[in-house]
């Protein structure tokens, strides 16, 4: 039986070399959940900008982990927020990743929640109905 020194672990087990990543970094499986969420938001923003590019030219879209709420806040946690622009800063539409992920049951519903949220925020900003901003609003993906 071999003796082992407490706390020492061998990284080159069985002489096969050091372990490395199992997938290349550009492979979709190696992306974090936050990165995949950012991609979904980016894709949806691109889709909206194709139709409403001129109206959304001065709008900044962002993904934040959680909303900044006061300790005494009592109510449902918001999924997104539109912050009016002032002093030369653009209007900012923020999507809150963690509350959306908590409400979604799977990737398909996650994409639908992001789509519907962004459509609602853009519609509110433009003073239009969500259905006129995106005819696919509030319809399930098939």
């Amino acid at each position: 039986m071999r003796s082992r020194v407490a706390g020492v672990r061998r990284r080159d087990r069985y002489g096969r070399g050091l372990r490395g990543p199992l997938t290349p970094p550009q492979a979709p499986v190696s992306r974090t959940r936050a990165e995949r969420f950012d991609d979904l938001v980016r894709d949806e923003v691109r889709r909206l900008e194709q139709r409403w590019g001129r109206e959304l030219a001065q709008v900044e879209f962002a993904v934040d982990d959680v909303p900044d709420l006061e300790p005494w806040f009592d109510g449902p946690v918001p999924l997104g927020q539109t912050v009016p622009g002032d002093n030369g800063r653009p209007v900012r539409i923020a999507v809150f990743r963690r509350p959306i992920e908590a409400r979604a049951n799977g990737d398909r519903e996650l994409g639908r929640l992001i789509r519907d949220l962004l459509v609602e925020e853009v519609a509110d900003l433009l003073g239009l109905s969500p259905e006129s901003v995106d005819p696919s609003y509030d319809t399930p993906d098939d």
Side-chain angles (χ1 to χ4, degrees):
M1 185 156 141
R2 255 192 271 185
S3 66
R4 290 186 60 151
V5 176
V8 175
R9 296 181 69 185
R10 293 186 55 163
R11 308 247 329 146
D12 187 8
R13 198 167 172 188
Y14 304 115
R16 295 182 186 152
L18 296 175
R19 290 186 144 185
L22 297 176
T23 59
Q26 65 272 20
V29 74
S30 68
R31 297 186 53 80
T32 66
R33 190 170 63 204
E35 291 171 333
R36 289 191 307 264
F37 188 91
D38 291 348
D39 290 343
L40 289 171
V41 172
R42 191 175 302 114
D43 291 344
E44 189 58 38
V45 168
R46 268 193 223 118
R47 195 178 69 76
L48 286 169
E49 285 178 339
Q50 286 177 349
R51 184 167 183 194
W52 301 98
R54 188 172 24 146
E55 292 84 351
L56 299 176
Q58 299 301 316
V59 176
E60 175 183 285
F61 292 88
V63 174
D64 294 332
D65 281 339
V66 293
D68 187 23
L69 301 175
E70 299 297 332
W72 56 85
F73 178 79
D74 185 29
V77 175
L79 303 180
Q81 177 183 25
T82 299
V83 179
D86 58 349
N87 296 330
R89 292 188 344 212
V91 172
R92 183 175 189 265
I93 296 177
V95 177
F96 302 126
R97 180 177 66 88
R98 301 287 300 271
I100 292 175
E101 286 177 339
R103 292 188 189 173
N105 292 324
D107 290 341
R108 177 170 268 165
E109 188 174 354
L110 181 67
R112 187 186 57 76
L113 281 171
I114 292 169
R115 179 194 67 195
D116 288 352
L117 173 70
L118 285 172
V119 168
E120 289 168 3
E121 294 294 330
V122 168
D124 188 46
L125 181 67
L126 300 177
L128 301 170
S129 70
E131 292 81 10
S132 62
V133 170
D134 183 2
S136 69
Y137 169 75
D138 206 24
T139 58
D141 292 330
D142 293 324

